[in-house]
Amino acid sequence: MDLSHPRLDDTAEVDIAVASEPTTLIAVRRFLGRCVQGLTWRRVGVVVVFCAIYGAVLSHDPRNGGPPHSVATYLLGLAVALTSFLPVFLVVAVAANFAPKRLTPRTIVLGLVVVAGTVVGFYLMTIVLGALAGYDVEPPKHARSPLALLAIGWVGLTIMLLQERDAAAALATYEAAEHRLELGRQMSEAQLQVLQSQIEPHFLFNSLAHVRRLYQTDPRAGRAMMRHLSRYLSAAQPALRQTSIGLGHDLELAVAYLGIQKIRMGSRLAFEIDVPDEAREARVPPMMITTLVENSIKHGLSPLPEGGMVRIVARLDASALTVSVSDTGQGFQASLGTGVGLANIRARLGVLYGASGELSLHQNMPRGVMAAIVVPARFGAVAEA
Amino acid sequence: MSITGDLARIEPVKALIAEDEANLCDELRETLAGLWPELVICAVAADGLQALQQLERHAPDVLFLDIQMPGTSGLEVAKHASGRAHVVFVTAYDKYAVAAFEQGAVDYVMKPFDPERLADTVKRLKGRIDSAPANLEGLLRALYEKMGSGRQYIRWITASQGQELRLITIEEVCYFQADNKCTQVVTAEKESLIYRPIKELSEALDPSTFWRIHRGTIVNIRHIAGISRDYRGRLSVKLKQRSETLPVSAPYAHLFKQM
């Protein structure tokens, strides 16, 4: 489907406007723009200054037995230098915009371009030298051998490529710093979010009401509730300062939360955890499972009078760990969400693992939602952020 | 037989408790039995829908009502009970609710409740049980408004593709494009259709990042690569990761004046 034009009232008008500018003209303008990209006045200036110096050397060739110093001979020298060097520079600068981006093929292509530029420059120079035949200008060394001109072209190219490499390295350093900043930002957002749901007054006071009641009627259940609550309240904080913890450890937190909700919701909540032992050692970013479980209960099961079931399943294969949290709740009622939980999980996975980390949502059968996190399988201690 | 207002009522006072958490429901029931032995608990509802049914069936004089319940919320139940029963809200702390209750002089009890506080409430209820129950419409309207005012911007969107639910975080969206009553959500790789009109979306998007550039187009400014102008002065937006350009219609051109 073509989305480039809106389909509302002024469609026709916009189409006319687009059609009235010839597309070939736009294409030519774009092409020219691309050609001269990177061809700054500063760079042209550097070449001109170089030519000016070289021209001075030419007009002061000691083999001539000292001066004729005159403005005229100097200008002639300059003309020779400009006509031979500028073409090399221009051809390389334009070609650089079309050359492959990777460094090795780029060097080869640009090397060939220098040869082409040298041929052009040498040809122009011979024309100028021919025109200057009657004047007192000693032909420069590179006029006798195009190899000299070629050498100068290659020196210029090497400088350019080195400059490019420095720029790329600087960019990489900058991006790494950005990446670290972004990770820090995502982590503190996750931290804040967990803190918020932990100390959400409604959740906290409600849980306390249960603790009080249970201590009167069923002290054992009361102690269990207290244990879940303090585990949930305390564990999240140190865990969150790490970029990853063991899956088993992270599950404890989710189970503590499920324990609290189980006491509140009674028979309305059932849960099941299917995590093989070998997967418990795998590293995961902290709190993601709890966030998904919270989502399942808050948005999936809580609104349903009959409640439902939450299932946490983990599977480990050679390269990846997949953890899914599914519920039999009411499913996504709205296609728009304001919760930061899901967005934060996706962002954190992106920052930590790039394309190999993933959060996906699926419709659970017969109803509800399944959220799955895939992370690269990693074990042992991982450096902390 | 004629009854004057001074005579004690013959019918016992009936109460309905609506509370989804069984533990807390039992606690309230027991405490009430101690404080007000004559009170008859005619029914207990474990969710909002049951509460509505019991309200019709038993026509209770008093309604103890939790706000967050499955089925339908306590506020919805209160709307039906308004003017028909004396409502006491029973809720864990909620800043909007408490502020509204205080302002609307409505009885409420906070969980975990303080028995003395409940005794006060019972005393007040006894005092006015024979007068007409208050009309709660004003209070409920204020409550709905207050709860709505904490609204936040959209952070993610789900679009279904068969069995798959595609989760799109708001940062990934390049632009939204109106498509009849639906909206195309366009990311770098894909387009998805959601069944919401773009107008509704525009109210829930962060205006500092999402700019309307056309009646049918809202663009994420973080995805804009550049603006170009044709010889008639019409602007169009070029995107970083999409090949198409988006026309900017005249009323929105001022957005790009500084660029």
Side-chain angles (χ1 to χ4, degrees), chain B:
Chain B
M1 184 175 122
S2 73
I3 298 173
T4 69
D6 293 321
L7 274 174
R9 47 187 288 159
I10 293 156
E11 294 265 310
V13 178
K14 287 187 297 180
L16 166 64
I17 298 177
E19 162 70 80
D20 60 311
E21 297 175 41
N23 263 323
L24 305 184
C25 186
D26 293 346
E27 185 178 35
L28 179 63
R29 206 175 166 164
E30 283 171 23
T31 317
L32 279 174
L35 290 168
W36 194 354
E38 308 82 50
L39 183 74
V40 174
I41 308 293
C42 60
V44 172
D47 64 63
L49 298 173
Q50 275 183 29
L52 285 176
Q53 280 172 7
Q54 308 289 17
L55 179 69
E56 296 305 322
R57 187 185 302 166
H58 298 283
D61 305 291
V62 183
L63 188 54
F64 291 92
L65 198 53
D66 187 9
I67 293 184
Q68 283 188 11
M69 277 191 296
T72 186
S73 83
L75 296 184
E76 207 54 37
V77 178
K79 211 157 135 192
H80 285 84
S82 171
R84 294 163 60 191
H86 298 275
V87 174
V88 178
F89 287 104
V90 183
T91 179
Y93 180 83
D94 178 308
K95 64 178 172 186
Y96 299 116
V98 170
F101 296 156
E102 290 290 350
Q103 227 168 27
V106 178
D107 274 322
Y108 70 94
V109 179
M110 294 240 283
K111 292 189 272 191
F113 60 78
D114 173 7
E116 279 175 34
R117 165 89 202 204
L118 191 62
D120 282 349
T121 305
V122 165
K123 209 157 88 191
R124 272 202 303 275
L125 274 175
K126 281 180 174 167
R128 62 167 184 243
I129 197 75
D130 288 315
S131 54
N135 184 321
L136 299 174
E137 267 164 41
L139 165 86
L140 290 172
R141 219 182 359 258
L143 251 178
Y144 275 118
E145 252 168 47
K146 276 207 178 112
M147 288 176 164
S149 68
R151 218 181 48 157
Q152 290 167 313
Y153 296 126
I154 298 175
R155 292 292 299 263
W156 49 264
I157 293 163
T158 55
S160 52
Q161 284 174 337
Q163 287 291 307
E164 282 296 282
L165 266 180
R166 214 177 139 228
L167 173 71
I168 306 163
T169 59
I170 205 71
E171 291 81 9
E172 296 172 90
V173 177
C174 297
Y175 65 94
F176 295 99
Q177 178 70 56
D179 189 349
N180 292 319
K181 292 214 170 74
C182 306
T183 303
Q184 285 274 0
V185 183
V186 183
T187 61
E189 303 92 29
K190 271 190 190 168
E191 301 94 42
S192 313
L193 198 63
I194 57 168
Y195 300 94
R196 294 293 184 103
I198 201 161
K199 188 167 174 290
E200 197 184 312
L201 273 174
S202 71
E203 288 157 8
L205 290 168
D206 181 355
S208 68
T209 329
F210 284 88
W211 289 7
R212 176 164 275 216
I213 56 166
H214 193 284
R215 257 191 66 186
T217 316
I218 298 175
V219 70
N220 182 348
I221 60 168
R222 294 181 204 279
H223 285 265
I224 294 181
I227 313 293
S228 60
R229 183 188 293 271
D230 69 14
Y231 71 98
R232 283 171 61 185
R234 286 182 169 276
L235 299 177
S236 55
V237 168
K238 276 188 285 186
L239 299 163
K240 286 178 191 161
Q241 291 153 302
R242 303 280 307 183
S243 56
E244 68 268 23
T245 60
L246 308 173
V248 180
S249 68
Y252 303 102
H254 68 274
L255 291 171
F256 301 100
K257 270 283 151 58
Q258 300 304 314
M259 299 176 89

Side-chain angles (χ1 to χ4, degrees), chain A residues 78-150:
Chain A
L78 182 63
V80 172
L82 278 177
T83 48
S84 52
F85 293 137
L86 259 186
V88 183
F89 167 71
L90 285 175
V91 170
V92 173
V94 171
N97 292 322
F98 296 92
K101 291 278 177 277
R102 283 187 39 232
L103 206 61
T104 319
R106 188 176 177 82
T107 318
I108 296 167
V109 169
L110 289 182
L112 293 174
V113 165
V114 169
V115 176
T118 307
V119 172
V120 176
F122 190 70
Y123 181 67
L124 286 178
M125 184 183 62
T126 43
I127 294 176
V128 173
L129 282 177
L132 295 177
Y135 300 87
D136 181 20
V137 180
E138 182 71 17
K141 279 197 189 85
H142 69 250
R144 283 176 223 128
S145 151
L147 276 180
L149 188 57
L150 205 58

Side-chain angles (χ1 to χ4, degrees), chain A residues 291-292 295 332 339-347 359 361, chain B residues 156 167 169:
Chain A
T291 301
L292 292 179
N295 269 345
F332 276 105
V340 296
L342 289 178
N344 181 269
I345 289 178
R346 163 137 327 156
L359 165 68
L361 297 181
Chain B
W156 49 264
L167 173 71
T169 59

